[in-house]
Amino acid sequence: MAEETRGICVRDVPAKAFISAYAEHLKNSDKFELPVWADLVKTSVANELAPYGDDWYYIRAASIARKVYLRPGLGVGQLRKWYGGNTDKGTRTEHFRKANSGIIRSVLIQLEGMKVTEKCENGGRKMTRVGQQDLDRIAGSVFYDAEEE
């Protein structure tokens, strides 16, 4: 019997492998640009320092694209809550702080410019058909690369 080929989607691959592959795709893309302020900002009020890696913006963008793929209608507020964390005040009690909305919003605007995401009519963002095909294609390549190893 012939082996059935089934479509591989983002849900079928591990998050870490997919995010690193899609971040590399965004880095090599000429449509997605690193903002001028990317080396100056912190990702959250809870963080003490800015991210160390040079690719952190692309990794965050890939992670945001994956989140929007998995949960259509996701907005900036929900993403702020997801990427937030506890602030360390020494011996004082920790409190949860939301992430920086400017970074998330700039990523979503750039993904919209690439026709990967679009705004929902009732708020939030969802994937376009082209964006879904793009992410599924990259997920398929990650799946088959892992299968070969």
Side-chain angles (χ1 to χ4, degrees):
M1 289 185 58
E3 187 178 312
E4 284 188 42
T5 57
R6 64 179 195 92
I8 303 299
C9 69
V10 176
R11 294 181 195 275
D12 298 331
V13 295
K16 188 173 184 178
F18 174 78
I19 288 171
S20 62
Y22 193 61
E24 193 64 36
H25 170 75
L26 290 176
K27 191 174 182 180
N28 295 334
S29 172
D30 56 343
K31 295 178 184 173
F32 198 84
E33 298 175 358
L34 188 69
V36 182
W37 44 261
D39 57 339
L40 303 173
V41 296
K42 300 191 306 179
T43 55
S44 173
V45 176
N47 295 349
E48 210 170 308
L49 298 170
Y52 286 121
D54 295 333
D55 301 353
W56 73 267
Y57 190 78
Y58 299 108
I59 293 168
R60 178 61 58 98
S63 177
I64 288 173
R66 181 178 177 276
K67 288 269 176 227
V68 172
Y69 180 97
L70 295 175
R71 295 190 64 194
L74 204 62
V76 175
Q78 290 171 315
L79 288 168
R80 283 185 71 191
K81 197 180 292 184
W82 176 259
Y83 291 111
N86 286 339
T87 180
D88 185 19
K89 298 288 186 183
T91 57
R92 291 167 55 195
T93 309
E94 291 182 344
H95 292 289
F96 182 81
R97 296 287 177 245
K98 291 182 180 178
N100 187 339
S101 62
I103 295 170
I104 295 169
R105 196 172 290 114
S106 73
V107 165
L108 288 172
I109 288 170
Q110 285 200 47
L111 289 174
E112 234 175 275
M114 290 175 61
K115 305 284 191 251
V116 175
T117 61
E118 63 186 1
K119 289 185 179 176
C120 291
E121 56 275 350
N122 56 355
R125 301 292 204 291
K126 64 179 180 180
M127 298 304 280
T128 61
R129 179 182 289 281
V130 174
Q132 186 172 349
Q133 289 172 350
D134 196 27
L135 267 67
D136 286 342
R137 180 178 49 80
I138 291 169
S141 67
V142 168
F143 182 81
Y144 292 122
D145 288 347
E147 201 174 69
E148 288 175 3
E149 292 177 2

